[in-house]
Structure formats: structure tokens, C-alpha cells
Amino acid sequence: MQAEQKIVAQLVKKFAFLQERIFVQRQKRIFTLPLVKEEFEQVLPYLHAELGFAKASLVVGTDDGDDLGFIYILSNREGIILALKEKTPKSDPRIKTVTDLFPALALHERELVNLFGAVVEGLPGDSSFPLPDGWPEGSYPMRKDWNPQYFDQETMTYNPPSQEVEKEGGNE
Amino acid sequence: MKPKKGNNRIVIPIGPQHPSLKEPGCFRITLEGEKVVHAEIDIGYNHRGLEKACESRNYIQTLYLIERVCGICSHTHSTAFCQGIEELAGLSIPPRAAYIRVIVSELERLHSHLLWLGVAGHEIGFDTLFMYSWRDREKVLDVLAEVCGNRVNYGINTIGGVRRDLDESMQQNIAKVIAFLEDQLKYYLDLALTDPTLSARLAGIGKLSREDALKYGAVGPVARAAGIMEDIRIIEPYAAYIEVPVKPVTDTRADVLGRTVVRIQEMLESLEIIGYCLKNLPGGELTVKAPRRIPAGEVISRTEAPRGENIHFIRANGTDILDRVRVRAPTEANWHGMKHMLEGEYLADVPITIAAIDPCYSCADRAIVINSERKTEMMDWQGLREYSIDWYKKRGLDLSAVKMPERKIYI
Amino acid sequence: MLSALTKILVFPGFLFMSAYGLFLEYLDRKVYARLQHRSGPPWYQPLADFLKLLGKETIIPANANQRMFRILPVISLSAVATAFIYVPVLAKAPSASFEGDLIIVLYLLTIPTVSLFLAGWYSRSVYATIGSVRTLTQMFAYEVPLFMALLAPALIAQTWSVTGMAEFYSQNPLYHLLNIPAFFVALISGQGKLERAPFDLPEAETEIVAGPLVEYSGKLLAIFKMSAVCELVLIASLISAVFLPLMTGNPLLDFLLYLIKTMAVLLFLALLRSAMARLRMDQMIKFCWRILTPIAVVQIIINLVIRGVL
């Protein structure tokens, strides 16, 4: 646990805003609370360059109500996993690509675009992955309000019930 | 498509349907003569929306869905998922269950690597190796069918332990199979290192150096063949690996031959592990009681699949339905270095290079537990045959005259 | 006239060659399967495959050259059938023979390869194009050692006729031992000629699907397959006539010997096929030019010297 505590202490020392927002979950697991875009963009290069978190395994996209969450799962050579979280409001779901530091995350970011409707700035290419070609635009299946029963496989269209019903459901 | 002047390029699609691929994936290879100058990888043909489906099912239903992420390494996925849930619920599984999980996971590694060896042989036109290793794999599948009831998608894990016990005769049969495989595997290792055509086709192909493997986040045998010791069984022991000694296997060749050698040596190591587990199998219960509702929280669970590190991220919200699960199968991590490996190779080496990361594909399973009218019954081979004869008789087809070859299981 | 026609068309000509070819294919598949611990096909499988293909629909790609696409399988098969006329099956009497027929047989042998190349080329598919380029490249690799290995024994026998060579060596069996290196060169490059593993690059299934024949189907494919099978008979008969010419003079016994010899050649080819991985094109060319060709050249020099001594 000492190595993990040391990493946390180092991070808190460097970035004051991480105070109380980063903790050791258990052995070999460090979690943070969601950071906003500006904070995230400071912490990530530091982790990569100074603390040896050079391997990125995946990005998990989550739907947290009004926000979209992104959990970057990084690890260092000792096998310690750090889950660095970022959040952006759904109204402006912009994040910056991290593929310059972690080329292995290109497909995962593509997935965030396709499945969650995030806008990843600077991500090269525009192929549709993993959804098939011809998927209706603006329809993001991994968001909580997307319901598979309204999707018509024949015509590849997403037909949710009228807006009002949906709003009522949302307010409850 | 007319080739430009002085530009002798030709684009050849490998996939989505191609004899060398057993799963849909597309590789657009630009050739100059026989040399690959550009490779484009297009995957995603198999997206089944599994993670979304998990978000509307309870934990036990999700477990069975998760097991079907992959047909070959299904046990590793269900182990990772169960471990995550057990960690969230604060359960610790009985020692016997932990040992059985390890035995099944090593048997799975054996059958997965033997399958790979056969596929690799087929890709380089060495069908004899293909037939030999699949013949041996069949023995592992037989023993898995006996232990778990299925050849693939074993369904032996449950939240809080395992569902079936290993009785005395099963243990003996496993011991028989590992004794048989030991000789075979030593022969294959010898073959890989000494056969001239095999080493001519495998050595120096699909190079992914240590630096590149780190850069592209390669896992499993691909990373280990480049000299990176990346084995979750050692880095972060789980289940019974905490007690069972696991020797690391690495190689420095960083090419397809290195990956072949690593996989064969890993199989030999698996035999050791199974032997140890059988000898030290503790007694006791198989499961602890798991709650229906799992306390809210997040967990990252890792296991070592035959193809490398398998990561499950699970977020629970306190109900009996999970909030989010994200499965990072090992193949997903190994795709990134593929373009790098393919460019500059000969076309002839493309299939084996693709195969060398062992891309996952699903297999059909054979269920032997049927659940009808709330009654569960077990069927053996003979019973299954009678059931199918009846089934066809009802539809006006009498197949009872069809003779079946006698089924020999062990050696 | 009638007897000559029977000889050409029925026995030991075309019909016999096809039937024996199907049998050899069965034997090849069976041995290959047994070497791989499989049970292998029943004896009628090659015939059943052939008949099934005949009954299938023939599809010709829209942008392929229609006439060439149809005519090439027939050219290939007829070239093999013509060449077979000059190879002795029953004792010393092939259907036809003249001084220099060895050269004719060797020329006719290249026709199936060239028609395979053209078939792939006119199919206008990427896989077929790559396959046919490989067919041609591979031809330049094995053709030279194959020709040299077959011509070397002719130097000692001082005749350019297959029958004449068989006769000479059956009278002087000891000369035979001289030709053993050429025998193996001929067997291995013959494997290349037949495009079987480890030299099956043109049709490498896992790389280019089926190579030149990828667009072929139905009857046309059946004829191509038949011509490949007949080529197998031709190569096996030619090698056993040139390198294993044991003869008794009794036609029936000689025919039996012919069967045994060709099957022995086939067994060697099947063993070769099952024991090796497919080579890459550069490896194949290197192997043919650096190993097979020098051996054949040395063989020719030795035989020239011996001929001078004689």
C-alpha cells in the first residue's frame, strides 16, 4: 500500500485541486473523483511523464445523468492501476484526444464518439466503430435514455416516443 | 481500378469473409509486388451490444451473458466478473472453489493455445501440425465437458464460488490428459525450434520490439515474446494463484516464432499448475451465499486470459441490476500494434501475423443441461442422442438407424 | 486406325489416365489423412467430387474474358492428355514414340501451368491476379531444375526419347545409381510443378483464397481439377519411366510394376506434402536456384564426363 500512498501524496502535492479527490481504493488501485476538462488535461501528461503511468488499458464511458463520464484506466510497470476520471456536461461533451500520449486508446475514443456521442477533439479518422455503417446520426446507444426497443433494425432508425412522454419520464 | 504509371500497387482485401479469418474483420492490404506497403484495419463487425444488454439484467443473468463474450476464453471473463462482484459484496470464496477456478482456467488456456497452434499451422500451410494439435485439443475439451458439462462456455463460475465439484474420477481423468499432453507439447516445442520450414516461416515475422510493445500496450504472449513480463497471475494473483506457484515465461525473439515458443512453454507451465492444484486440492464448501443486491461501488477486476490481460470495470448502484460494465478483452489491446507489424511484410506472412496475436472468435457450444417447465435435468451423451432422435421423430424423421462411431475419450 | 484410337482414348490413354488419376488422388488424400491421424475419404470420393462439380452451375464473372475463360481448362487438359501418349505404361510400347519426344513432353508440361496463369489473369480478380503472377514466378524457379534433372539421364542413354531411355536403363541398370541426385531433384521440382505443399503458393488458401482458380466454378473448375489430377499421373509416370525403368518384358508384369512405381513416387510426394509448411515465394526461389539447380548442373557435368568415358 505504501507505493500507492506515495503516488497519491505526490499527486496531491503537485495539484492542489486533487486534495480529497484522489484515494487508494485497495491494493494496486487508485481512483479519482471526476475532474473537469482543464484539470484532467494537466494531470494526464504528468502521470505519463513523471509517474510512469505509460500504459493505458482502456477508457470507460459512463452516463452520469447530466454529465458524461470518462474513466481512463492507466497502469505503471508495478501493475498499479490508476483510474483517472473526467466529466463533461452532455450539452457540450467535448474532450481532447489522448492518442498523442497513448496511441493504444484510439479505438476506445472512437467508441466514445460512436456509443456515447462525445466529441473527441483531434482524433484522426472518421470511421464508424463499432457501430455499423448507416447508423442513425445523433443516436447514442450506450446512453441511459437510449432504449433498444425503439430501434428498428430493418430501417436502421431510432424512433423514441414523442418528446413530451420522454420529458415526463425524465422528470420523475 | 487502374494502376498509375510507375506505381504498381494493388489493394487486396483480406476479410470480412476470408479463409484465413475465422471471425469477421477486414484488413485492406496495399501491395507493391508481394510486399505490404500499407495496411488498414477495420473491425467492429461483431459488435453485439452486450454491455448495453447487461444494464437491464440482474447479476446472475449478466454473468451468463458475460461468459458469452468469447467462445474460447469464456471462463476468464466469468472469473473476472465474479471476482469483481465478490469484491464489491465483500465475499471471499471457499478455497476449494478457488482451486477449481484455477484448474478450469488452466485447462482453458491449454485448449486455447492448442487451438492457436493448429490455426497457426494452417495459416502457413502446415496442415499436419493443425490436425495434430487439434487432435490433442480434443482431449482437453473432452475433460472440460466432463468437468463442466460443456466443451466451451463452461458455466462453472457463480457469484460466490463454483457450481460443480471435481470428483475423484474427474481428477484422475485430468491427470491422464496432462500426462498425455506433456509428451506432445515437448514434441511441439522441439518441432518449433528445429523444423526448418516452420522456423523459415515464423522467425523474423511480425516483429514487435519491446519498445513498440510497450507503446502500443500489447498484452499476453505478444508482450511476453518481446521480453515484457506481463502476467496477471504473477503481478496481481487472484483465486488460487495466490498459493499456486506460477513461473513466468518470456522470450526475447519478439516475432511470431517467439510467440509460438512462449505459448507452448506456457502450456507446459499450465500442466505444472494443474498438477499442483490436483495434488493440493482442499476440501470444503463450493460456494458462499451471495446477496441479490450488490452494494454500490466501482471495481476493476483483472485476470490473465489465454490471450493476455483481461480487464472488467464494473459499477454497481446498490440494486440487483448493475450500472455499467466494460469488458476489455485482451485482443482489443493487441490490435493496435497490428498495422505496425504488417507493414513491410510479404503478403504470404500477413495471415500468420494476424493469427499470431490470436484474435478471439466465438465457437458454438453444446448444452447438456436443459431447463424445461421449471425442471432441470442432466443428460449424458447417450441421453442427448435419444433426445435428439425423439425430437426429429416428432417432426417425421427417423434417425434411430444412424449408427454412431464409438466415442473414445481418453488416449 | 481403330487400335491406335483405342490406345489414345481408352487404354493406356486418356480414359485410363483419368481413372488412374482419380485413384492416385484418393491414395494421396488417404495417405495424407493417415499421416495426420485422420481417417481420410472413401475410395470413391475424388470421383464423387468430380461428378458433383460437373453438375454445378458455372458462373463466369462479368468482366472476365468469356472465350478465354471457357477455353483454358480444355487446353490444359488436352495438353496433359497429349503428353501422356509418349509415356510408356504397358511395357516398352507407349501409344506413340519418336526420337525427341522427351522434349515434347516437357514442352507440353508447361502448357497447364501457362493456362493456369492465363486463367487467373483473365478472371480479373485481385486474388486471381496475384495467384497467377505467383504461378508464373514459381514456374521460373522449378522449371530449370526439373528440365535439367530429366535431361541428365538422357545424356548417358544417348537418346531423347522417353521409351529409348527406359529401354537403355532397363538393359544397364547399374547406370541408374548415377542418376539418384537427379531423381530427387526431379521429385522435388515435380512437387513444385504440381503446385502442392510446400510449393502451393499459387493457390495458398489462407492468403489468396484459391489463387488463379478463385473465379472458376462448375464444369470449368471440374476440368481444371481433372487436368491437375492427370498432371499428377503424368509426372509420376514420367519420373518412374526415366528414373525407375525396371522391366521384365511381360506386359502384365510390367503394367503391375508401372503401378507400383507410380504409387511409390506418389507416396514420396504425399510425405513431402504432409511434412512441411508452405514456403514463401522468396524462399522457394532461393531453394530452387541455390540448391536444386546446382545439384542438377553437377549431375549433368558428371553425366557428360561419363558419356565421354563410355
Side-chain angles (χ1 to χ4, degrees):
Chain A
M1 293 289 265
Q2 273 176 346
E4 290 88 335
Q5 298 288 9
K6 229 172 98 187
I7 291 167
V8 169
Q10 214 170 335
L11 275 169
V12 170
K13 198 172 145 203
K14 172 87 183 168
F15 302 105
F17 56 79
L18 280 177
Q19 188 76 40
E20 302 283 300
R21 289 167 76 190
I22 183 164
F23 56 95
V24 179
Q25 186 218 22
R26 70 155 166 100
Q27 203 179 6
K28 298 203 168 167
R29 297 283 186 278
I30 304 172
F31 275 66
T32 69
L33 294 182
L35 309 178
V36 295
K37 193 176 176 225
E38 291 73 30
E39 294 167 342
F40 175 83
E41 279 164 17
Q42 290 172 38
V43 179
L44 192 75
Y46 180 74
L47 281 174
H48 181 265
E50 305 290 328
L51 294 181
F53 283 89
K55 185 177 160 190
S57 299
L58 71 155
V59 189
V60 186
T62 54
D63 182 348
D64 308 337
D66 293 334
D67 293 329
L68 284 182
F70 309 100
I71 307 170
Y72 292 74
I73 295 180
L74 315 170
S75 57
N76 67 2
R77 295 293 302 137
E78 284 85 58
I80 296 173
I81 288 187
L82 193 146
L84 187 65
K85 297 185 189 174
E86 185 185 7
K87 65 172 180 186
T88 58
K90 270 186 189 167
S91 51
D92 181 31
R94 259 167 219 289
I95 53 170
K96 222 178 99 189
T97 180
V98 298
T99 45
D100 45 346
L101 293 179
F102 302 104
L105 288 184
L107 281 179
H108 295 91
E109 291 195 339
R110 177 68 47 209
E111 200 180 296
L112 296 180
V113 175
N114 243 229
L115 298 181
F116 285 93
V119 178
V120 183
E121 291 165 335
L123 179 62
D126 58 349
S127 69
S128 173
F129 171 83
L131 295 176
D133 296 336
W135 187 267
E137 215 155 291
S139 163
Y140 306 115
M142 281 305 281
R143 289 197 181 181
K144 289 282 179 199
D145 55 10
W146 193 91
N147 191 334
Q149 77 188 58
Y150 302 132
F151 184 72
D152 187 353
Q153 288 194 358
E154 295 287 310
T155 56
M156 291 278 268
T157 49
Y158 183 63
N159 313 304
S162 62
Q163 290 290 319
E164 285 163 32
V165 183
E166 204 175 280
K167 243 177 207 167
E168 266 172 38
N171 289 339
E172 267 168 25
Chain B
M1 167 180 49
K2 234 179 171 178
K4 279 180 229 149
K5 217 178 177 188
N7 180 0
N8 224 347
R9 292 191 175 182
I10 181 166
V11 179
I12 167 167
I14 294 193
Q17 305 282 335
H18 192 276
S20 76
L21 302 172
K22 276 83 195 166
E23 57 158 353
C26 186
F27 302 85
R28 264 181 289 278
I29 308 286
T30 309
L31 290 177
E32 216 173 76
E34 286 260 328
K35 264 228 149 84
V36 178
V37 288
H38 183 71
E40 219 176 287
I41 296 158
D42 187 5
I43 54 173
Y45 290 87
N46 240 352
H47 192 77
R48 292 166 285 172
L50 210 124
E51 288 166 7
K52 181 80 180 177
C54 288
E55 289 173 16
S56 58
R57 283 164 172 79
N58 71 30
Y59 283 100
I60 289 294
Q61 288 170 323
T62 304
L63 173 62
Y64 287 94
L65 209 51
I66 287 286
E67 190 155 10
R68 277 145 186 82
V69 166
C70 174
I72 300 294
C73 44
S74 59
H75 181 76
T76 195
H77 286 293
S78 66
T79 308
F81 184 76
C82 284
Q83 259 170 214
I85 302 299
E86 284 151 12
E87 191 182 325
L88 281 174
L91 303 173
S92 63
I93 61 170
R96 191 174 176 86
Y99 269 78
I100 292 175
R101 275 187 189 175
V102 165
I103 291 173
V104 175
S105 104
E106 292 304 325
L107 283 173
E108 180 185 72
R109 194 180 317 280
L110 278 173
H111 102 74
S112 172
H113 281 356
L114 280 170
L115 175 128
W116 177 83
L117 190 64
V119 171
H122 180 63
E123 302 289 11
I124 55 170
F126 197 177
D127 280 357
T128 309
L129 178 62
F130 171 40
M131 295 296 166
Y132 267 56
S133 78
W134 279 41
R135 176 201 63 187
D136 298 343
R137 172 176 178 258
E138 208 54 28
K139 304 225 187 297
V140 184
L141 287 179
D142 280 341
V143 86
L144 272 170
E146 195 192 349
V147 171
C148 312
N150 269 0
R151 283 155 62 91
V152 288
N153 289 129
Y154 319 108
I156 196 162
N157 277 331
T158 189
I159 296 164
V162 292
R163 288 176 53 238
R164 301 180 89 182
D165 198 8
L166 269 184
D167 65 24
E168 205 49 48
S169 79
M170 288 175 188
Q171 293 180 26
Q172 279 166 12
N173 283 335
I174 296 176
K176 263 188 219 162
V177 168
I178 61 175
F180 166 77
L181 281 180
E182 190 160 2
D183 295 340
Q184 289 297 318
L185 291 174
K186 281 183 179 151
Y187 170 67
Y188 295 141
L189 189 61
D190 187 44
L191 194 72
L193 294 173
T194 56
D195 185 79
T197 52
L198 209 55
S199 57
R201 286 305 307 277
L202 299 181
I205 304 304
K207 277 265 182 199
L208 192 70
S209 65
R210 191 187 154 85
E211 289 69 38
D212 287 330
L214 286 173
K215 182 174 149 201
Y216 292 110
V219 296
V222 180
R224 288 197 282 274
I228 303 166
M229 218 305 288
E230 274 239 340
D231 193 331
I232 304 302
R233 293 176 294 172
I234 297 168
I235 297 175
E236 200 184 301
Y238 56 95
Y241 290 116
I242 300 164
E243 296 165 24
V244 181
V246 183
K247 279 196 287 300
V249 176
T250 53
D251 198 272
T252 48
R253 291 187 182 88
D255 56 8
V256 178
L257 182 62
R259 281 161 223 163
T260 312
V261 171
V262 162
R263 285 198 175 97
I264 298 175
Q265 281 175 343
E266 262 181 50
M267 284 194 267
L268 286 166
E269 182 56 29
S270 288
L271 298 180
E272 295 274 314
I273 295 172
I274 297 173
Y276 180 91
C277 286
L278 288 178
K279 219 177 274 165
N280 299 294
L281 190 65
E285 287 298 304
L286 291 179
T287 45
V288 292
K289 198 169 160 26
R292 262 179 75 82
R293 290 171 200 279
I294 302 297
E298 285 174 348
V299 68
I300 297 166
S301 169
R302 296 202 282 179
T303 55
E304 182 70 18
R307 292 163 176 79
E309 179 191 26
N310 172 33
I311 304 178
H312 283 217
F313 171 87
I314 305 161
R315 177 193 276 177
N317 54 10
T319 63
D320 60 349
I321 292 173
L322 52 73
D323 190 57
R324 173 88 171 105
V325 59
R326 175 72 169 86
V327 178
R328 206 295 309 266
T331 308
E332 220 179 323
N334 278 335
W335 278 130
H336 309 293
M338 182 54 75
K339 188 176 149 73
H340 178 81
M341 285 190 252
L342 286 178
E343 285 174 2
E345 302 238 302
Y346 286 103
L347 170 66
D349 296 327
V350 168
I352 181 67
T353 309
I354 296 171
I357 69 160
D358 199 1
C360 250
Y361 43 83
S362 297
C363 292
D365 63 340
R366 286 193 312 196
I368 69 159
V369 176
I370 57 160
N371 203 337
S372 60
E373 290 152 19
R374 327 206 71 207
K375 182 181 74 163
T376 305
E377 55 180 294
M378 293 259 287
M379 283 178 151
D380 61 359
W381 183 254
Q382 201 55 40
L384 203 63
R385 178 173 146 77
E386 276 155 19
Y387 177 76
S388 71
I389 287 173
D390 269 1
W391 194 87
Y392 278 107
K393 245 186 202 153
K394 276 181 209 152
R395 285 152 185 84
L397 201 64
D398 192 1
L399 295 173
S400 54
V402 177
K403 255 190 251 146
M404 292 242 300
E406 203 174 309
R407 195 158 173 267
K408 279 180 263 172
I409 296 193
Y410 302 109
I411 305 154
Chain C
M1 178 69 199
L2 194 69
S3 111
L5 215 60
T6 320
K7 267 186 175 174
I8 290 171
L9 288 180
V10 184
F11 186 85
F14 182 64
L15 204 67
F16 166 74
M17 177 179 68
S18 325
Y20 191 47
L22 290 176
F23 172 73
L24 281 191
E25 190 195 339
Y26 156 71
L27 196 69
D28 177 45
R29 283 166 68 171
K30 187 78 182 173
V31 168
Y32 188 53
R34 292 309 298 152
L35 286 171
Q36 298 179 342
H37 284 245
R38 292 186 288 124
S39 51
W43 64 269
Y44 52 80
Q45 191 66 50
L47 182 65
D49 286 353
F50 179 68
L51 293 179
K52 193 191 82 175
L53 266 183
L54 280 183
K56 291 275 177 191
E57 187 188 1
T58 305
I59 300 163
I60 300 177
N63 51 358
N65 185 320
Q66 302 277 326
R67 200 186 315 152
M68 290 304 272
F69 198 84
R70 280 173 192 282
I71 212 166
L72 280 165
V74 184
I75 292 180
S76 172
L77 183 60
S78 47
V80 179
T82 315
F84 194 66
I85 294 174
Y86 301 102
V87 180
V89 173
L90 261 177
K92 294 162 192 168
S95 308
S97 166
F98 60 89
E99 190 59 29
D101 58 9
L102 179 63
I103 310 291
I104 293 286
V105 170
L106 289 180
Y107 266 103
L108 286 172
L109 257 180
T110 50
I111 290 182
T113 316
V114 172
S115 22
L116 201 61
F117 160 73
L118 289 173
W121 195 254
Y122 283 116
S123 297
R124 305 236 193 285
S125 140
V126 272
Y127 302 116
T129 308
I130 292 175
S132 52
V133 170
R134 282 186 177 187
T135 308
L136 215 58
T137 320
Q138 186 171 308
M139 192 172 102
F140 290 116
Y142 64 72
E143 203 89 305
V144 173
L146 179 68
F147 281 21
M148 290 216 260
L150 286 171
L151 294 179
L155 290 173
I156 296 186
Q158 304 205 6
T159 168
W160 293 104
S161 126
V162 184
T163 326
M165 278 163 73
E167 217 163 312
F168 174 82
Y169 280 106
S170 63
Q171 277 154 19
N172 310 288
L174 278 181
Y175 280 120
H176 237 300
L177 301 175
L178 282 172
N179 292 326
I180 286 175
F183 176 46
F184 282 101
V185 171
L187 277 175
I188 293 170
S189 44
Q191 184 85 331
K193 173 100 228 165
L194 294 167
E195 294 179 356
R196 289 148 55 91
F199 306 122
D200 59 344
L201 294 95
E203 52 183 282
E205 178 203 343
T206 47
E207 295 157 28
I208 46 173
V209 191
L213 295 182
V214 72
E215 299 291 349
Y216 272 85
S217 55
K219 281 186 213 62
L220 299 177
L221 181 62
I223 297 173
F224 254 129
K225 291 273 180 205
M226 182 52 88
S227 108
V229 164
C230 293
E231 213 181 331
L232 178 64
V233 180
L234 180 59
I235 296 272
S237 313
L238 189 65
I239 290 178
S240 53
V242 173
F243 294 99
L244 307 166
L246 284 172
M247 282 190 197
T248 58
N250 179 336
L252 203 71
L253 265 179
D254 277 354
F255 181 60
L256 220 66
L257 268 175
Y258 163 80
L259 295 183
I260 292 171
K261 284 186 286 189
T262 42
M263 278 187 229
V265 170
L266 180 95
L267 287 184
F268 181 83
L269 296 183
L271 190 66
L272 209 61
R273 177 154 90 107
S274 61
M276 280 181 205
R278 182 191 308 124
L279 291 176
R280 218 162 46 209
M281 188 48 90
D282 58 324
Q283 292 164 342
M284 151 112 191
I285 291 173
K286 254 184 222 156
F287 174 74
C288 285
W289 282 101
R290 293 205 184 149
I291 297 172
L292 289 186
T293 312
I295 295 176
V297 168
V298 169
Q299 177 81 62
I300 284 196
I301 294 172
I302 291 175
N303 286 10
L304 277 173
V305 170
I306 286 178
R307 189 175 130 175
V309 171
L310 270 174

